[in-house]
Amino acid sequence: MLTIKGRSVRTVDGYAVDLRTFFRFMKMHRNLIPKDTEFAKIPIYDLNADFFRTIQLSDVYEFLNYSMKDRDNNSKTRARKVSSLRGFFKYLTVNTQILQENPVKNLELPTVRKTLPVHLNMDQSVALLNQAYQATKSATRWRDFCILTLFLNCGMRLSELVGINIQDLDLKAAELKLLGKGNKERLVYLNDACKQALEQYIQQERANLKVIIDKQALFLSSRSGKRIGARQVQLIVSKFLKESGLGGMGFSTHKLRHTAATLMYQQGDVDVLVLKELLGHVNVGTTEIYTHVSNEKVQQAVENNPLAHFKAKGNEK
């Protein structure tokens, strides 16, 4: 998956977790281990082709039922598990012919309920940026303000932000190269807010770091001089959300991506196909979750109907 299909490390790790969970469940389900064995410690190194040949579709349904009831997995998580299993058994039958029959060929994906993405409104976004800007009175906090500015203006993913290198940035051309899912590169154009935040971070903070270990990385840990990690960015975002009075409202780092996309679509009149390219989506169907419209726009659309002020003759009153 990494080499041939070009999937991200995070995606591959997720599939590996799904497969390990399924195999451990199978050994537990078939009573092949002592009953007091901790689930996470169930060994699966001894499984082989003979074991895989015994798996039936009913086993997978038992596993999905277990995932829902015992592990509280939602439909989206269970859908990923189904994708993992279908990919694995397709590999065993089509690619390697280890199995003659694919036991999950008729396995359907669970229906995933579509929900509106959680996002900050305009006032909340401004409050968050103001809170981070106030912290820049300390010269060592420009990085945090810059990170929030990029999230809210460019709609980039967390993995894309932490992966930015210095050579990916061209401030004169106002361009930033991102490495997205599936190792696909795309260009993001920087507005004035992003350019100013990047310039301040590079000049006021990054240039003054005493130790720089990862010289290529744009965003660095001020303590270690190494590339900032995803978890550290999440803690930064959580900190400023809390300080700006937005903590405990379901907002997170990924919700800032939702926010950027929603604000651009609702208030920036950005076309959905343009938004698709900006966000790095493969299919426009993925982008459409960001194109939900506000109640105000629905009301405005009804008011703008040319028949809105129609009055039947004889009913002028």
Side-chain angles (χ1 to χ4, degrees):
M1 291 185 70
L2 282 171
T3 307
I4 306 302
K5 293 188 175 183
R7 300 292 176 86
S8 70
V9 173
R10 187 173 180 179
T11 296
V12 175
D13 287 345
Y15 279 19
V17 169
D18 293 341
L19 294 177
R20 284 200 301 269
T21 304
F22 174 68
F23 296 145
R24 285 170 174 159
F25 167 80
M26 287 303 301
K27 294 192 77 171
M28 178 182 70
H29 181 59
R30 294 182 176 180
N31 298 315
L32 299 178
I33 54 168
K35 290 186 177 181
D36 58 347
T37 304
E38 184 181 343
F39 186 86
K41 295 182 179 180
I42 297 175
I44 57 174
Y45 60 85
D46 55 336
L47 301 182
N48 54 29
D50 290 335
F51 180 85
F52 300 143
R53 292 188 186 101
T54 66
I55 292 175
Q56 300 178 359
L57 185 58
S58 58
D59 294 321
V60 178
Y61 284 130
E62 289 286 349
F63 170 64
L64 294 176
N65 188 53
Y66 162 79
S67 299
M68 179 175 60
K69 293 184 177 180
D70 291 61
R71 301 179 74 88
D72 199 27
N73 289 165
N74 58 31
S75 58
K76 187 175 181 180
T77 302
R78 284 181 282 121
R80 192 194 69 180
K81 294 182 186 301
V82 169
S83 295
S84 302
L85 291 169
R86 290 204 304 190
F88 178 75
F89 283 103
K90 179 182 178 182
Y91 178 81
L92 292 184
T93 52
V94 177
N95 297 68
T96 64
Q97 287 82 48
I98 291 176
L99 300 184
Q100 297 300 314
E101 294 290 334
N102 184 346
V104 301
K105 62 182 179 181
N106 295 321
L107 180 63
E108 297 181 355
L109 285 170
T111 300
V112 178
R113 183 171 62 91
K114 291 186 178 181
T115 57
L116 296 180
V118 176
H119 67 280
L120 284 72
N121 61 32
M122 187 65 178
D123 291 339
Q124 291 169 331
S125 301
V126 170
L128 180 61
L129 288 173
N130 278 333
Q131 186 65 38
Y133 184 77
Q134 291 301 315
T136 62
K137 294 177 180 179
S138 168
T140 60
R141 304 306 293 272
W142 279 106
R143 179 200 63 192
D144 300 348
F145 174 71
C146 185
I147 286 174
L148 290 172
T149 300
L150 289 179
F151 274 140
L152 287 170
N153 280 275
C154 301
M156 62 184 64
R157 300 178 178 93
L158 173 59
S159 59
E160 293 169 346
L161 182 131
V162 299
I164 297 174
N165 292 322
I166 284 289
Q167 61 266 29
D168 297 331
L169 179 64
D170 187 342
L171 286 173
K172 289 185 178 180
E175 293 178 348
L176 176 62
K177 183 173 67 177
L178 296 177
L179 186 64
K181 285 187 174 182
N183 294 321
K184 295 178 181 178
E185 292 183 351
R186 73 178 188 278
L187 276 180
V188 171
Y189 296 94
L190 304 170
N191 57 26
D192 289 340
C194 291
K195 287 191 294 183
Q196 292 175 9
L198 283 163
E199 287 171 352
Q200 291 289 352
Y201 162 63
I202 292 171
Q203 296 170 8
Q204 301 290 335
E205 182 173 351
R206 193 182 188 282
N208 295 318
L209 291 177
K210 294 181 180 180
V211 178
I212 296 181
I213 303 298
D214 295 331
K215 299 184 184 298
Q216 289 187 331
L218 174 62
F219 292 113
L220 299 166
S221 167
S222 57
R223 293 183 178 180
S224 66
K226 296 181 180 180
R227 183 185 299 274
I228 195 170
R231 182 55 183 159
Q232 188 175 353
V233 173
Q234 290 173 328
L235 292 174
I236 290 169
V237 172
S238 296
K239 173 181 181 295
F240 284 108
L241 283 170
K242 184 177 181 180
E243 290 180 357
S244 55
L246 300 172
M249 300 175 65
F251 299 135
S252 64
T253 304
H254 193 64
K255 299 303 185 291
L256 301 187
R257 174 171 162 87
H258 291 327
T259 300
T262 303
L263 292 180
M264 280 187 281
Y265 181 77
Q266 288 189 359
Q267 301 187 30
D269 294 324
V270 176
D271 181 81
V272 66
L273 294 179
V274 175
L275 193 61
K276 168 184 172 294
E277 296 301 317
L278 191 150
L279 295 173
H281 288 158
V282 176
N283 301 310
V284 71
T286 307
T287 314
E288 287 175 348
I289 68 167
Y290 299 102
T291 61
H292 58 284
V293 292
S294 63
N295 291 334
E296 291 80 4
K297 285 200 171 185
V298 172
Q299 181 179 354
Q300 183 182 358
V302 175
E303 293 293 340
N304 290 342
N305 188 310
L307 297 175
H309 304 291
F310 169 78
K311 291 182 180 179
K313 290 183 178 180
N315 191 33
E316 287 79 2
K317 295 180 181 181

